[in-house]
Amino acid sequence: MATSYKPTPLFGGALVCDLPANFADVSTLRQVPDHQEVYIDKDGFTSIIFEITERVGSPGTGAEIDGRALTTHLEDLVQDDIDRVKVWNTTPTLFSRLDENIPAYTLIATQAPPPQQEVAGQRTSAPDFTAIILTLVRLEREKTDLLITINVPHIRGEYDEEDVDLQLGKQGKLIGDAVDFAAKIWETFQVKDWNLFKEI
């Protein structure tokens, strides 16, 4: 069944993009920091996080500068777990409704769970692994890095293990759906009020 999407205002309507209709705004359930918007799949475990952060790295743009910034943000995201993260690919990303001079990049990574979750040969309900689709939009004029992170936990019994082998290019349904969500965001994301980046 095709995913249905709905236009979703973010940060009080300063940003807008289409998100899957079955994703819920986490701020209605718990407190979310002012610089974040978090949406979670009501029927699964996938989450989509929009985060406005201070720009990192050197001024200017280019594959090396922006690549380092993307790595910095990934390290901030996973913190001490960076040793258990594998980045599968990184690609420049085009947002249909942003100026084409604004650089953006997306990486796909997987994060393995910490080893101590193996208890007497039995795994807890921790995911087998979590896929991460991280898009970085570099707003140099606003001294801002905008991060869009889709986290896709793969919990045993909730996905078909034979369908997933990133080494062979097999993403499986959950990652495939998340890539579609990301593509829809790239296509529909708009900044309605640039003052947002001065306020946060």
Side-chain angles (χ1 to χ4, degrees):
M1 196 175 83
T3 303
S4 64
Y5 292 88
K6 61 176 183 196
T8 305
L10 305 167
F11 299 102
L15 310 178
V16 67
C17 70
D18 288 4
L19 293 180
N22 63 323
F23 273 58
D25 181 351
V26 169
S27 68
T28 60
L29 310 169
R30 63 172 168 81
Q31 189 118 25
V32 171
D34 286 348
H35 68 287
Q36 286 185 351
E37 290 271 14
V38 183
Y39 285 78
I40 191 155
D41 186 348
K42 289 188 267 196
D43 308 315
F45 302 96
T46 297
S47 61
I48 303 175
I49 301 167
F50 297 83
E51 186 171 8
I52 296 170
T53 67
E54 205 172 321
R55 182 185 164 91
V56 299
S58 318
T61 188
E64 195 177 334
I65 289 171
D66 295 334
R68 273 204 297 269
L70 191 56
T71 301
T72 300
H73 285 299
L74 179 65
E75 287 169 352
D76 284 349
L77 188 69
V78 299
Q79 295 180 339
D80 296 343
D81 293 338
I82 194 68
D83 294 345
R84 291 194 304 279
V85 171
K86 178 170 177 53
V87 175
W88 295 92
N89 61 30
T90 304
T91 50
T93 303
L94 184 64
F95 278 71
S96 305
R97 298 179 181 183
L98 287 178
D99 187 311
E100 62 187 30
N101 295 326
I102 294 175
Y105 301 85
T106 299
L107 65 74
I108 295 180
T110 48
Q111 180 178 359
Q116 66 266 26
Q117 284 170 336
E118 192 103 31
V119 184
Q122 289 198 320
R123 295 295 288 272
T124 60
S125 62
D128 288 351
F129 69 94
T130 299
I132 299 166
I133 300 175
L134 174 61
T135 298
L136 166 64
V137 183
R138 311 224 68 198
L139 303 172
E140 185 169 19
R141 192 183 62 198
E142 288 70 29
K143 300 184 176 63
T144 296
D145 282 340
L146 174 68
L147 302 174
I148 304 166
T149 309
I150 306 179
N151 292 305
V152 192
H154 282 64
I155 294 167
R156 191 159 295 176
E158 300 288 336
Y159 73 103
D160 189 337
E161 292 176 44
E162 290 178 9
D163 280 353
V164 183
D165 188 335
L166 291 172
Q167 228 148 356
L168 297 176
K170 288 162 65 174
Q171 293 181 327
K173 180 176 180 351
L174 295 177
I175 299 175
D177 285 351
V179 169
D180 289 345
F181 302 159
K184 182 59 104 172
I185 292 168
W186 305 334
E187 183 191 319
T188 59
F189 180 89
Q190 260 182 305
V191 178
K192 297 281 196 183
D193 182 3
W194 287 93
N195 288 323
L196 168 71
F197 304 111
K198 296 180 185 143
E199 293 161 11
I200 288 191

